[in-house]
Amino acid sequence: MRVFLILLGKELRQFFLSPLAYVVILLFMLINGVSFYASISALTRSTSAHNIVTWMFRTPWFYLSYFAVFPLITMRLLAEERKLGTLETMMTAPVRASQLVLSKYAAAVIFYIVLWLPSLANLYLFQYVTAGAADLPRGPLIGSYGIVLLMGLLYLAMGLFASSLSRNQIVAAILALTLILLHYLVGFVAVHLSSARMLDLSEILNYIASVEHLSLFTSGLVDTRPVVYYISLAAFFLFLTHQVIEFRRWKT
């Protein structure tokens, strides 16, 4: 545990002392602010069955910021270590591959959570400014941020795995974005198969489709199956990353 905490502290310092990290935070806050403003505009133009929380996670601006952030967070985690040669040095030290992988993953998750805190503050600030007239339903609020966290756990694990495969950060970012988009676009394939009357396969794809989970959770309907699904798949990609690191250890 002591080694893990030392590595975690090192990774967190690299995140929060890097100028790039604050550029990412600024851009993410800016795009989320635009998404929040678009949600308010949509609600003021006409009546809607959806609340502001649901709207905020369904605007095009949300998708623009959401998928771009994972490659930016994870692309340097292992790719930079390999490029600088510090990964090989670390592999000769009394550090287990699991400690290295989990410390980098935990640091990425903490940074990802910090990214979302301003958007949550926006909602409560809006409620305060409107003197409570803006309703923040607890179900959609918990569901929306819950599914964003669960999807983030998986996509950060995918990004970490992609970073372990290359020395080049740009290549790692492109590979991570490709894996994430392929997983997400399964939902649109499910819609197409449903219209083509391939219902059995469509039901299977709907079970693993992020677009369906996002729609369900932002409506306030929390299902335990996606929780198990995302955590299990994140663990699988962390296992793959561990295997890559172990392979490089034996190769060194």
Side-chain angles (χ1 to χ4, degrees), residues 144-191:
S144 298
Y145 281 90
I147 192 61
V148 161
L149 175 60
L150 288 170
M151 290 169 61
L153 293 178
L154 170 57
Y155 294 152
L156 289 171
M158 284 182 172
L160 183 60
F161 171 66
S163 184
S164 71
L165 298 177
S166 175
R167 294 178 182 269
N168 189 302
Q169 294 186 37
I170 303 301
V171 173
I174 293 172
L175 180 57
L177 184 61
T178 301
L179 288 172
I180 291 166
L181 288 179
L182 283 175
H183 176 266
Y184 184 79
L185 290 174
V186 166
F188 296 98
V189 176
V191 172

Side-chain angles (χ1 to χ4, degrees), residues 191-205:
V191 172
H192 176 73
L193 291 176
S194 178
S195 62
R197 297 185 179 181
M198 300 176 65
L199 297 180
D200 292 337
L201 183 56
S202 176
E203 288 181 4
I204 296 174
L205 292 178

Side-chain angles (χ1 to χ4, degrees), residues 56-184:
M56 193 173 74
F57 289 93
R58 294 187 179 184
T59 65
W61 291 102
F62 163 76
Y63 295 102
L64 177 64
S65 64
Y66 190 66
F67 296 110
V69 75
F70 297 107
L72 292 175
I73 293 176
T74 61
M75 64 182 184
R76 67 154 195 87
L77 290 178
L78 288 167
E80 186 179 33
E81 298 273 12
R82 290 188 59 197
K83 181 181 178 180
L84 298 176
T86 53
L87 182 61
E88 287 75 11
T89 303
M90 194 172 297
M91 289 297 94
T92 60
V95 176
R96 292 197 296 268
S98 58
Q99 293 172 328
L100 178 63
V101 171
L102 290 177
S103 64
K104 288 183 175 293
Y105 181 66
V109 170
I110 291 171
F111 183 76
Y112 175 72
I113 292 172
V114 170
L115 278 180
W116 279 103
L117 292 180
S119 70
L120 185 61
N122 284 341
L123 291 169
Y124 283 102
L125 181 61
F126 180 67
Q127 187 182 41
Y128 173 77
V129 170
T130 58
D135 182 33
L136 294 182
R138 180 170 298 181
L141 188 64
I142 294 174
S144 298
Y145 281 90
I147 192 61
V148 161
L149 175 60
L150 288 170
M151 290 169 61
L153 293 178
L154 170 57
Y155 294 152
L156 289 171
M158 284 182 172
L160 183 60
F161 171 66
S163 184
S164 71
L165 298 177
S166 175
R167 294 178 182 269
N168 189 302
Q169 294 186 37
I170 303 301
V171 173
I174 293 172
L175 180 57
L177 184 61
T178 301
L179 288 172
I180 291 166
L181 288 179
L182 283 175
H183 176 266
Y184 184 79

